[in-house]
Coordinates of all heavy atoms in Angstrom, one line a residue:
M33 N -10.2 38.2 23.8 CA -10.1 38.7 25.2 C -8.7 38.3 25.8 O -8.3 37.1 25.6 CB -11.2 38.1 26.0 CG -11.6 38.9 27.2 SD -12.9 38.1 28.1 CE -12.5 38.7 29.7
M34 N -8.0 39.2 26.4 CA -6.7 38.9 27.0 C -6.9 38.0 28.2 O -7.8 38.2 29.0 CB -6.0 40.1 27.4 CG -5.7 41.1 26.3 SD -4.7 40.4 25.0 CE -3.1 40.7 25.7
K35 N -6.1 37.0 28.3 CA -6.2 36.0 29.4 C -4.9 35.9 30.2 O -3.9 36.2 29.7 CB -6.6 34.6 28.8 CG -7.9 34.6 28.0 CD -9.0 34.6 28.9 CE -10.3 34.3 28.1 NZ -11.5 34.4 29.0
P36 N -5.0 35.3 31.4 CA -3.8 35.2 32.2 C -3.0 33.9 31.9 O -2.3 33.4 32.8 CB -4.4 35.2 33.7 CG -5.7 34.6 33.5 CD -6.2 35.0 32.2
Y37 N -3.1 33.4 30.7 CA -2.3 32.3 30.3 C -2.0 32.5 28.9 O -2.6 33.3 28.2 CB -3.1 31.0 30.5 CG -4.6 31.0 30.2 CD1 -5.0 31.0 28.9 CD2 -5.5 31.2 31.2 CE1 -6.4 31.1 28.6 CE2 -6.8 31.3 30.9 CZ -7.3 31.2 29.6 OH -8.6 31.3 29.4
E38 N -1.0 31.7 28.4 CA -0.7 31.9 27.0 C -0.7 30.7 26.1 O -0.6 29.5 26.7 CB 0.7 32.6 26.8 CG 1.8 31.8 27.4 CD 3.1 32.6 27.2 OE1 3.2 33.8 27.4 OE2 4.1 32.0 26.8
C39 N -1.0 30.9 24.9 CA -1.1 29.7 23.9 C 0.3 29.0 23.9 O 1.3 29.6 23.7 CB -1.4 30.3 22.5 SG -1.5 29.0 21.3
T40 N 0.2 27.7 24.0 CA 1.5 26.9 24.0 C 2.0 26.8 22.5 O 3.1 26.4 22.3 CB 1.2 25.5 24.5 OG1 0.2 24.8 23.8 CG2 0.8 25.5 26.0
Q41 N 1.2 27.1 21.6 CA 1.6 27.0 20.2 C 2.2 28.3 19.6 O 3.1 28.3 18.8 CB 0.4 26.6 19.3 CG -0.3 25.3 19.8 CD 0.6 24.1 19.8 OE1 1.1 23.7 18.8 NE2 0.9 23.6 21.0
C42 N 1.6 29.4 20.0 CA 2.1 30.7 19.4 C 2.4 31.8 20.4 O 3.0 32.8 20.1 CB 1.1 31.2 18.4 SG -0.3 31.9 19.1
G43 N 2.1 31.5 21.7 CA 2.5 32.5 22.8 C 1.5 33.6 22.9 O 1.7 34.5 23.8
S44 N 0.4 33.6 22.2 CA -0.6 34.7 22.3 C -1.4 34.5 23.6 O -1.5 33.4 24.1 CB -1.6 34.5 21.1 OG -2.8 35.2 21.4
T45 N -1.8 35.7 24.1 CA -2.7 35.6 25.3 C -4.1 36.0 25.0 O -4.9 36.4 25.9 CB -2.1 36.5 26.5 OG1 -1.9 37.8 25.9 CG2 -0.8 36.0 27.0
D46 N -4.4 36.0 23.7 CA -5.7 36.5 23.2 C -6.5 35.2 22.9 O -6.2 34.5 21.9 CB -5.5 37.4 22.0 CG -6.6 38.4 21.9 OD1 -7.5 38.4 22.7 OD2 -6.5 39.3 21.0
F47 N -7.6 35.0 23.6 CA -8.4 33.8 23.4 C -9.8 34.1 23.3 O -10.3 35.1 23.9 CB -8.2 32.8 24.6 CG -6.8 32.2 24.7 CD1 -5.8 32.8 25.4 CD2 -6.6 31.0 24.1 CE1 -4.6 32.3 25.5 CE2 -5.3 30.4 24.2 CZ -4.3 31.1 24.9
E48 N -10.6 33.3 22.6 CA -12.0 33.4 22.7 C -12.6 32.2 23.5 O -12.1 31.1 23.4 CB -12.7 33.5 21.3 CG -12.5 32.4 20.4 CD -13.2 32.5 19.1 OE1 -14.3 33.1 19.1 OE2 -12.7 32.0 18.1
D49 N -13.6 32.5 24.3 CA -14.2 31.4 25.1 C -15.1 30.6 24.3 O -16.0 31.1 23.6 CB -15.0 32.1 26.3 CG -14.1 32.8 27.3 OD1 -13.0 32.3 27.7 OD2 -14.4 34.0 27.6
I50 N -14.9 29.3 24.3 CA -15.9 28.4 23.7 C -16.9 28.1 24.7 O -18.1 28.1 24.4 CB -15.2 27.1 23.2 CG1 -14.0 27.4 22.3 CG2 -16.2 26.2 22.5 CD1 -14.3 28.1 21.0
N51 N -16.5 27.6 25.9 CA -17.4 27.5 27.0 C -16.5 27.6 28.3 O -15.4 28.1 28.2 CB -18.2 26.1 26.9 CG -17.2 24.9 26.9 OD1 -16.2 24.9 27.5 ND2 -17.6 23.9 26.1
L52 N -17.0 27.2 29.4 CA -16.3 27.5 30.7 C -14.9 26.7 30.7 O -14.0 27.1 31.3 CB -17.1 27.0 31.9 CG -18.1 28.1 32.3 CD1 -18.9 27.5 33.5 CD2 -17.5 29.4 32.8
K53 N -14.9 25.6 30.0 CA -13.7 24.8 30.0 C -12.9 24.7 28.8 O -11.8 24.1 28.7 CB -14.1 23.3 30.4 CG -14.5 23.2 31.8 CD -14.7 21.8 32.2 CE -15.1 21.7 33.7 NZ -15.6 20.4 34.1
K54 N -13.3 25.4 27.7 CA -12.6 25.4 26.5 C -12.4 26.8 25.9 O -13.3 27.7 26.0 CB -13.4 24.6 25.4 CG -13.2 23.2 25.4 CD -13.8 22.5 24.2 CE -14.1 21.1 24.5 NZ -15.0 20.5 23.4
V55 N -11.2 27.1 25.4 CA -10.9 28.3 24.8 C -10.2 28.1 23.5 O -9.6 27.0 23.3 CB -10.0 29.2 25.7 CG1 -10.7 29.7 27.0 CG2 -8.7 28.5 26.0
R56 N -10.2 29.1 22.6 CA -9.5 29.0 21.3 C -8.6 30.2 21.1 O -9.1 31.3 21.4 CB -10.5 28.9 20.2 CG -9.8 28.8 18.8 CD -10.8 29.0 17.6 NE -11.6 27.8 17.5 CZ -12.9 27.7 17.3 NH1 -13.6 28.8 17.3 NH2 -13.5 26.6 17.2
C57 N -7.4 29.9 20.7 CA -6.5 31.0 20.5 C -6.9 31.8 19.3 O -7.2 31.2 18.2 CB -5.1 30.4 20.2 SG -3.9 31.6 19.7
V58 N -7.0 33.1 19.4 CA -7.5 34.0 18.4 C -6.5 34.0 17.2 O -6.9 34.1 16.0 CB -7.8 35.4 18.9 CG1 -8.0 36.4 17.8 CG2 -8.9 35.4 19.9
Y59 N -5.2 33.8 17.5 CA -4.2 34.0 16.4 C -4.0 32.7 15.6 O -4.0 32.7 14.4 CB -2.9 34.4 17.0 CG -3.0 35.9 17.4 CD1 -3.4 36.2 18.7 CD2 -2.8 36.9 16.5 CE1 -3.5 37.6 19.0 CE2 -2.9 38.2 16.8 CZ -3.3 38.6 18.1 OH -3.4 39.9 18.4
C60 N -3.8 31.6 16.3 CA -3.5 30.4 15.5 C -4.6 29.3 15.5 O -4.5 28.3 14.8 CB -2.2 29.7 16.0 SG -2.3 28.9 17.6
G61 N -5.7 29.6 16.3 CA -6.9 28.8 16.2 C -6.8 27.5 17.0 O -7.7 26.6 16.9
S62 N -5.7 27.3 17.8 CA -5.6 26.1 18.6 C -6.7 26.1 19.6 O -7.0 27.1 20.2 CB -4.2 26.0 19.3 OG -3.2 26.0 18.3
L63 N -7.2 24.9 19.9 CA -8.3 24.7 20.9 C -7.6 24.1 22.1 O -6.8 23.2 22.1 CB -9.3 23.7 20.4 CG -10.6 24.2 19.7 CD1 -11.4 23.0 19.4 CD2 -11.4 25.1 20.7
F64 N -8.0 24.6 23.3 CA -7.4 24.2 24.5 C -8.5 23.8 25.6 O -9.5 24.5 25.6 CB -6.6 25.2 25.2 CG -5.3 25.5 24.3 CD1 -5.4 26.6 23.5 CD2 -4.2 24.8 24.5 CE1 -4.2 26.9 22.7 CE2 -3.1 25.1 23.7 CZ -3.1 26.2 22.8
H65 N -8.2 22.8 26.3 CA -9.0 22.6 27.6 C -8.3 23.5 28.6 O -7.1 23.6 28.7 CB -8.8 21.2 28.1 CG -9.7 20.2 27.5 ND1 -11.1 20.3 27.7 CD2 -9.5 19.1 26.8 CE1 -11.7 19.3 27.0 NE2 -10.8 18.5 26.5
L66 N -9.1 24.2 29.4 CA -8.6 25.1 30.4 C -8.5 24.3 31.7 O -9.5 23.8 32.2 CB -9.5 26.3 30.5 CG -9.1 27.4 31.4 CD1 -7.7 28.0 31.0 CD2 -10.1 28.5 31.4
L67 N -7.3 24.2 32.3 CA -7.1 23.5 33.5 C -6.8 24.5 34.6 O -5.9 25.3 34.4 CB -6.0 22.4 33.4 CG -6.1 21.5 32.2 CD1 -4.8 20.7 32.1 CD2 -7.3 20.5 32.3
K68 N -7.4 24.4 35.7 CA -7.1 25.2 36.8 C -6.2 24.4 37.8 O -6.6 23.3 38.1 CB -8.3 25.7 37.6 CG -9.1 26.7 36.7 CD -10.3 27.2 37.5 CE -11.1 28.2 36.6 NZ -12.3 28.6 37.3
N69 N -5.1 25.0 38.2 CA -4.3 24.2 39.2 C -3.6 25.1 40.0 O -3.5 26.3 39.8 CB -3.4 23.2 38.4 CG -2.4 23.9 37.5 OD1 -2.4 25.2 37.5 ND2 -1.6 23.2 36.8
E70 N -3.0 24.6 41.1 CA -2.1 25.3 42.0 C -0.8 24.7 41.9 O -0.6 23.6 42.4 CB -2.7 25.3 43.4 CG -4.0 26.0 43.5 CD -4.4 26.2 45.0 OE1 -3.5 26.1 45.9 OE2 -5.6 26.3 45.2
P71 N 0.1 25.3 41.1 CA 1.4 24.6 40.8 C 2.2 24.6 42.1 O 2.1 25.4 43.0 CB 2.0 25.5 39.8 CG 1.4 26.9 40.0 CD 0.0 26.6 40.5
T72 N 3.1 23.6 42.0 CA 4.1 23.4 43.1 C 5.4 23.7 42.6 O 5.8 23.3 41.5 CB 4.0 22.0 43.6 OG1 2.7 21.7 44.1 CG2 5.1 21.8 44.7
L73 N 6.2 24.6 43.3 CA 7.5 24.9 42.9 C 8.4 23.7 43.5 O 8.4 23.5 44.7 CB 8.0 26.2 43.5 CG 9.5 26.5 43.3 CD1 9.8 26.7 41.8 CD2 9.9 27.7 44.1
S74 N 9.0 23.0 42.6 CA 9.7 21.8 43.0 C 11.2 22.1 42.8 O 11.7 22.4 41.7 CB 9.2 20.6 42.2 OG 10.0 19.5 42.5
I75 N 12.0 21.9 43.8 CA 13.5 22.1 43.7 C 14.1 20.7 43.9 O 13.9 20.1 45.0 CB 14.0 23.1 44.8 CG1 13.3 24.5 44.5 CG2 15.5 23.2 44.7 CD1 13.6 25.5 45.5
N76 N 14.7 20.2 42.9 CA 15.1 18.8 42.8 C 16.5 18.6 43.5 O 17.3 19.5 43.7 CB 15.2 18.4 41.4 CG 13.9 18.4 40.7 OD1 12.9 18.2 41.3 ND2 13.9 18.8 39.4
D77 N 16.7 17.3 43.8 CA 18.0 16.9 44.3 C 19.2 17.4 43.5 O 19.1 17.2 42.2 CB 18.0 15.4 44.4 CG 19.2 14.8 45.1 OD1 19.9 15.6 45.7 OD2 19.4 13.6 45.0
G78 N 20.2 18.0 44.1 CA 21.3 18.4 43.3 C 21.2 19.9 42.9 O 22.2 20.5 42.4
A79 N 20.0 20.5 43.0 CA 19.9 21.9 42.6 C 20.5 22.8 43.7 O 20.7 22.4 44.8 CB 18.4 22.2 42.5
N80 N 21.0 23.9 43.2 CA 21.6 24.9 44.1 C 20.9 26.2 43.8 O 21.2 26.9 42.8 CB 23.1 25.0 43.8 CG 23.8 25.8 44.9 OD1 23.2 26.4 45.7 ND2 25.1 25.9 44.7
V81 N 20.0 26.6 44.6 CA 19.2 27.8 44.4 C 19.4 28.8 45.4 O 19.4 28.6 46.6 CB 17.7 27.4 44.4 CG1 16.8 28.6 44.2 CG2 17.3 26.4 43.4
V82 N 19.7 30.1 45.0 CA 19.9 31.2 45.9 C 18.9 32.3 45.6 O 18.9 32.7 44.4 CB 21.4 31.7 45.8 CG1 21.5 32.9 46.7 CG2 22.4 30.6 46.1
F83 N 18.1 32.6 46.5 CA 17.3 33.8 46.4 C 18.1 34.9 47.1 O 18.3 34.9 48.3 CB 16.0 33.6 47.1 CG 15.1 32.5 46.5 CD1 15.0 31.3 47.1 CD2 14.4 32.8 45.3 CE1 14.2 30.3 46.5 CE2 13.6 31.8 44.8 CZ 13.5 30.5 45.4
G84 N 18.6 35.9 46.3 CA 19.5 36.9 46.8 C 18.8 37.9 47.7 O 17.6 37.8 47.9
K85 N 19.6 38.8 48.3 CA 19.1 39.8 49.2 C 18.0 40.6 48.7 O 17.1 41.1 49.4 CB 20.2 40.7 49.7 CG 21.1 40.0 50.8 CD 22.1 41.0 51.2 CE 23.2 40.3 52.1 NZ 24.5 41.0 52.1
T86 N 18.0 40.9 47.4 CA 17.0 41.8 46.8 C 15.8 41.0 46.3 O 14.9 41.5 45.6 CB 17.6 42.6 45.7 OG1 18.1 41.7 44.7 CG2 18.6 43.6 46.2
A87 N 15.8 39.6 46.5 CA 14.8 38.8 45.9 C 13.4 39.1 46.6 O 13.4 39.4 47.8 CB 15.1 37.3 46.1
N88 N 12.4 39.1 45.8 CA 11.0 39.2 46.3 C 10.2 38.3 45.5 O 9.6 38.6 44.5 CB 10.6 40.7 46.1 CG 9.2 40.9 46.9 OD1 8.7 40.0 47.4 ND2 8.8 42.1 46.9
V89 N 10.1 37.0 45.9 CA 9.6 36.0 45.2 C 8.2 35.6 45.7 O 8.1 35.4 47.0 CB 10.5 34.7 45.2 CG1 9.9 33.6 44.4 CG2 11.8 35.1 44.6
E90 N 7.2 35.5 44.9 CA 5.9 35.0 45.3 C 5.7 33.6 44.7 O 5.8 33.5 43.5 CB 4.8 35.9 44.8 CG 4.5 37.0 45.8 CD 3.3 37.8 45.3 OE1 2.6 37.4 44.4 OE2 3.1 38.9 45.9
V91 N 5.4 32.6 45.5 CA 5.2 31.3 45.0 C 3.7 31.0 45.3 O 3.2 31.1 46.4 CB 6.1 30.2 45.7 CG1 5.7 28.8 45.2 CG2 7.5 30.6 45.5
R92 N 3.0 30.6 44.2 CA 1.6 30.2 44.4 C 1.5 28.7 44.4 O 2.0 28.0 43.5 CB 0.8 30.8 43.2 CG 0.7 32.3 43.3 CD 0.2 32.9 42.1 NE 0.3 34.3 42.2 CZ -0.1 35.2 41.3 NH1 -0.7 34.8 40.2 NH2 0.1 36.5 41.4
G93 N 0.9 28.2 45.5 CA 0.9 26.8 45.7 C 1.9 26.4 46.8 O 1.9 27.0 47.8
D94 N 2.7 25.4 46.5 CA 3.6 24.9 47.5 C 5.0 24.9 47.0 O 5.3 24.9 45.9 CB 3.3 23.4 47.9 CG 2.0 23.3 48.6 OD1 1.9 24.0 49.7 OD2 1.1 22.6 48.2
I95 N 5.9 25.0 48.0 CA 7.3 24.8 47.6 C 7.7 23.4 48.1 O 7.4 23.0 49.2 CB 8.3 25.8 48.3 CG1 7.9 27.2 47.9 CG2 9.7 25.5 47.9 CD1 8.9 28.2 48.5
Q96 N 8.3 22.6 47.2 CA 8.7 21.3 47.5 C 10.2 21.2 47.3 O 10.7 21.4 46.2 CB 7.9 20.3 46.6 CG 8.2 18.8 47.0 CD 7.5 18.0 45.9 OE1 6.3 18.2 45.6 NE2 8.2 17.0 45.4
I97 N 10.9 21.0 48.4 CA 12.3 20.9 48.3 C 12.8 19.5 48.6 O 12.6 18.9 49.6 CB 13.0 21.9 49.3 CG1 12.5 23.3 49.0 CG2 14.5 21.8 49.2 CD1 12.9 24.4 50.0
E98 N 13.5 18.9 47.6 CA 13.9 17.5 47.7 C 15.2 17.5 48.6 O 16.0 18.4 48.6 CB 14.3 16.9 46.3 CG 13.1 16.4 45.6 CD 13.5 15.6 44.4 OE1 14.6 15.3 44.2 OE2 12.6 15.4 43.5
K99 N 15.3 16.3 49.2 CA 16.6 16.1 50.0 C 17.7 16.2 49.0 O 17.7 15.7 47.9 CB 16.5 14.7 50.6 CG 16.6 14.7 52.1 CD 16.9 13.4 52.8 CE 16.2 12.2 52.2 NZ 16.4 11.0 53.0
G100 N 18.8 16.9 49.4 CA 19.9 17.0 48.5 C 20.0 18.3 47.7 O 21.0 18.7 47.2
A101 N 18.8 19.0 47.7 CA 18.8 20.3 47.1 C 19.4 21.4 48.1 O 19.1 21.2 49.3 CB 17.4 20.7 46.6
R102 N 20.1 22.3 47.6 CA 20.6 23.4 48.5 C 19.9 24.7 48.1 O 19.9 25.2 47.0 CB 22.1 23.5 48.2 CG 22.9 24.4 49.1 CD 24.3 24.6 48.6 NE 24.6 26.0 48.7 CZ 25.3 26.5 49.8 NH1 25.8 25.6 50.7 NH2 25.6 27.7 49.9
V103 N 19.3 25.2 49.1 CA 18.5 26.4 48.9 C 18.9 27.5 50.0 O 18.8 27.2 51.2 CB 17.0 26.2 49.0 CG1 16.2 27.5 48.8 CG2 16.5 25.1 48.1
D104 N 19.3 28.6 49.5 CA 19.7 29.7 50.4 C 18.7 30.8 50.1 O 18.5 31.3 49.0 CB 21.1 30.3 50.1 CG 22.2 29.4 50.7 OD1 21.9 28.7 51.7 OD2 23.3 29.4 50.1
I105 N 18.0 31.2 51.2 CA 17.0 32.3 51.1 C 17.5 33.5 51.8 O 17.6 33.5 53.1 CB 15.6 31.9 51.5 CG1 15.1 30.7 50.7 CG2 14.7 33.1 51.5 CD1 13.8 30.1 51.2
L106 N 18.0 34.5 51.1 CA 18.5 35.8 51.7 C 17.4 36.9 51.6 O 17.4 37.8 52.4 CB 19.8 36.2 51.0 CG 20.9 35.1 50.9 CD1 22.0 35.6 50.1 CD2 21.4 34.8 52.3
G107 N 16.6 36.8 50.6 CA 15.6 37.8 50.4 C 14.3 37.4 50.9 O 14.1 36.6 51.9
K108 N 13.2 37.9 50.2 CA 11.9 37.6 50.7 C 11.2 36.6 49.8 O 11.1 36.8 48.5 CB 11.1 39.0 50.6 CG 9.7 38.9 51.2 CD 9.1 40.3 51.1 CE 7.6 40.2 51.4 NZ 6.8 41.3 50.9
V109 N 10.7 35.6 50.4 CA 9.9 34.6 49.6 C 8.6 34.4 50.3 O 8.5 34.1 51.5 CB 10.7 33.2 49.6 CG1 9.8 32.2 48.9 CG2 12.0 33.3 48.9
T110 N 7.5 34.7 49.5 CA 6.2 34.6 50.1 C 5.5 33.4 49.4 O 5.5 33.2 48.2 CB 5.4 35.8 49.7 OG1 6.2 37.0 50.1 CG2 4.1 35.9 50.4
V111 N 4.9 32.5 50.2 CA 4.1 31.4 49.7 C 2.6 31.7 49.8 O 2.2 32.0 50.9 CB 4.5 30.1 50.4 CG1 3.6 29.0 49.8 CG2 6.0 29.8 50.3
L112 N 2.0 31.8 48.7 CA 0.5 32.1 48.7 C -0.3 30.8 48.6 O 0.0 30.0 47.7 CB 0.2 33.0 47.6 CG 1.0 34.4 47.6 CD1 0.7 35.1 46.3 CD2 0.6 35.2 48.7
K113 N -1.2 30.6 49.4 CA -2.1 29.5 49.3 C -3.5 29.9 49.2 O -3.9 31.0 49.5 CB -1.9 28.6 50.5 CG -0.6 27.8 50.5 CD -0.7 26.6 51.3 CE 0.5 25.8 51.2 NZ 0.4 24.4 51.7
G114 N -4.4 29.0 48.7 CA -5.8 29.4 48.6 C -6.2 29.6 47.2 O -5.4 29.7 46.3
K115 N -7.5 29.6 47.0 CA -8.0 29.6 45.7 C -8.1 31.0 45.0 O -8.3 31.1 43.8 CB -9.4 29.0 45.7 CG -9.4 27.6 46.3 CD -10.3 26.7 45.5 CE -9.8 25.2 45.7 NZ -10.7 24.4 46.5
K116 N -7.8 32.0 45.7 CA -7.9 33.3 45.1 C -6.8 33.6 44.1 O -7.0 34.3 43.1 CB -7.9 34.4 46.2 CG -9.2 34.6 46.9 CD -9.2 35.7 47.9 CE -10.6 35.8 48.5 NZ -10.6 36.8 49.6
Q117 N -5.6 33.0 44.4 CA -4.5 33.3 43.5 C -4.3 32.0 42.6 O -3.4 31.3 42.8 CB -3.2 33.5 44.4 CG -3.3 34.6 45.3 CD -2.9 35.9 44.6 OE1 -2.6 35.9 43.5 NE2 -2.9 37.0 45.4
Q118 N -5.3 31.8 41.7 CA -5.3 30.6 41.0 C -4.5 30.8 39.7 O -4.6 31.8 39.0 CB -6.7 30.2 40.7 CG -6.8 28.7 40.7 CD -8.3 28.3 40.8 OE1 -9.2 29.0 40.3 NE2 -8.6 27.2 41.4
E119 N -3.8 29.8 39.3 CA -3.1 29.8 38.1 C -3.8 28.9 37.1 O -4.6 28.0 37.5 CB -1.7 29.2 38.3 CG -0.8 30.1 39.1 CD 0.2 30.9 38.3 OE1 0.6 30.5 37.3 OE2 0.5 32.0 38.8
F120 N -3.5 29.1 35.8 CA -4.2 28.3 34.8 C -3.2 27.6 33.9 O -2.1 28.1 33.8 CB -5.1 29.2 33.9 CG -6.2 29.9 34.7 CD1 -5.9 31.2 35.3 CD2 -7.4 29.4 34.9 CE1 -6.9 31.8 36.0 CE2 -8.4 30.0 35.5 CZ -8.1 31.3 36.1
S121 N -3.6 26.5 33.4 CA -2.8 25.9 32.3 C -3.7 25.4 31.2 O -4.9 25.2 31.4 CB -1.9 24.8 32.9 OG -2.6 23.7 33.3
L122 N -3.1 25.2 30.1 CA -3.8 24.8 28.9 C -3.4 23.5 28.4 O -2.2 23.1 28.4 CB -3.6 25.8 27.8 CG -4.0 27.3 28.1 CD1 -3.5 28.2 27.0 CD2 -5.5 27.4 28.3
K123 N -4.4 22.7 28.0 CA -4.1 21.4 27.4 C -4.6 21.4 26.0 O -5.8 21.7 25.7 CB -4.8 20.3 28.2 CG -4.5 18.9 27.7 CD -5.1 17.9 28.6 CE -4.9 16.5 28.1 NZ -6.1 15.8 27.8
L124 N -3.7 21.2 25.1 CA -4.0 21.4 23.6 C -4.9 20.2 23.2 O -4.7 19.1 23.5 CB -2.7 21.3 22.8 CG -2.8 21.5 21.3 CD1 -3.3 22.9 21.0 CD2 -1.5 21.2 20.7
I125 N -6.0 20.6 22.6 CA -6.9 19.6 22.0 C -6.5 19.3 20.6 O -6.4 18.2 20.2 CB -8.4 20.2 22.1 CG1 -8.8 20.4 23.5 CG2 -9.3 19.1 21.4 CD1 -10.1 21.2 23.6
K126 N -6.4 20.4 19.8 CA -5.9 20.2 18.4 C -5.4 21.5 17.9 O -5.8 22.6 18.3 CB -7.0 19.6 17.5 CG -8.2 20.5 17.4 CD -9.2 19.9 16.4 CE -10.4 20.8 16.3 NZ -11.4 20.3 15.4
G127 N -4.4 21.4 17.0 CA -3.7 22.7 16.5 C -4.4 23.1 15.3 O -5.2 22.5 14.7
Ligands
LIG449 ZN1 -2.0 30.4 19.4

């Protein structure tokens, strides 16, 4: 079944469900814990980020901008919060 995350070992998005919290990559057989999280976009000190006029960026979670980072927003940046727009990440159990 195609999933909204990819295998960290081979890049496949085709997984079989083992249970609610575990999936296995169909291609390379790696087993993963499925972690749900809301990632934070973090812009570090010293970074120089420009979202140009034609930018249309959607950030899920939070934007965290460190002191010292330079961020110019000329385009559109949308920050989405809430559980509906959930991202997933995988933690490798064994390859
Ligand atoms: Zn894989």
